Amino acid sequence: MGNLKFDIDDTCVKCGACAEDCPVQCITEGTTKFIIGKGCISCGDCYSICPVGAVQMHKLLKDTTGLK
């Protein structure tokens, strides 16, 4: 799933299920929601376990220009 990016939106209820399930422990508690950090390996565990659907999945577009 390396071509996917995950983030947590404002519907997060801060239950902590995503953070507990993260295999690389890159999800931390923020002020109003949990936050997925740079260590994310795009495994999708957080997406699958979130009880309220607050974890959003975004497909990364392939860069064809050579610029990043």
Side-chain angles (χ1 to χ4, degrees):
M1 284 197 189
N3 62 342
L4 298 174
K5 179 182 185 303
F6 295 88
D7 61 45
I8 300 173
D9 69 22
D10 292 337
T11 61
C12 175
V13 295
K14 292 179 73 175
C15 70
C18 58
E20 286 180 26
D21 201 48
C22 180
V24 293
Q25 300 175 351
C26 74
I27 303 176
T28 57
E29 188 173 0
T31 305
T32 59
K33 63 183 179 178
F34 275 80
I35 300 164
I36 300 174
K38 291 184 179 185
C40 178
I41 59 171
S42 299
C43 68
D45 285 359
C46 56
Y47 181 80
S48 299
I49 202 165
C50 181
V52 296
V55 179
Q56 301 299 306
M57 180 183 350
H58 307 280
K59 185 172 184 176
L60 298 176
L61 300 176
K62 185 174 181 178
D63 182 8
T64 57
T65 64
L67 302 173
K68 290 190 176 194

